[in-house]
């Protein structure tokens, strides 16, 4: 299985996070990675993400906006 993230702007347009993307062998690895790098993604214009398993949408959109 391959776990990946799809990146979008806050309004749902595709976002390009550059070289920070990756494939993961486990859901927990993908989620841990996102927890470590989400601020960098926001700085690159990413507003929301979807988690994909072998191309199938598992969940999302999940906002990367910090809660106030």
């Amino acid at each position: 299985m391959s776990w990946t993230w799809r990146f979008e702007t806050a309004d749902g347009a595709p976002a390009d996070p550059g070289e920070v993307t990756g494939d993961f062998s486990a859901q927990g690895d993908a989620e841990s990675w996102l927890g470590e790098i989400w601020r960098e993604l926001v700085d690159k214009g990413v507003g929301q993400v979807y988690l994909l398993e072998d191309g199938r949408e598992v969940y999302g959109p999940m906002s990367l906006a910090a809660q106030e």
Side-chain angles (χ1 to χ4, degrees):
M1 284 184 221
S2 176
W3 296 84
T4 57
W5 293 100
R6 184 172 75 224
F7 306 98
E8 296 183 349
T9 62
D11 63 358
D16 181 8
E19 297 292 321
V20 298
T21 62
D23 285 326
F24 305 91
S25 60
Q27 181 176 355
D29 293 341
E31 292 169 334
S32 293
W33 174 84
L34 184 67
E36 295 173 4
I37 199 165
W38 72 271
R39 287 177 186 88
E40 183 178 337
L41 293 171
V42 170
D43 290 344
K44 293 181 180 216
V46 177
Q48 60 188 22
V49 295
Y50 291 79
L51 182 63
L52 309 174
E53 177 189 17
D54 294 330
R56 179 186 60 83
E57 191 176 296
V58 176
Y59 64 76
M62 182 173 66
S63 175
L64 298 183
Q67 293 184 354
E68 296 183 19

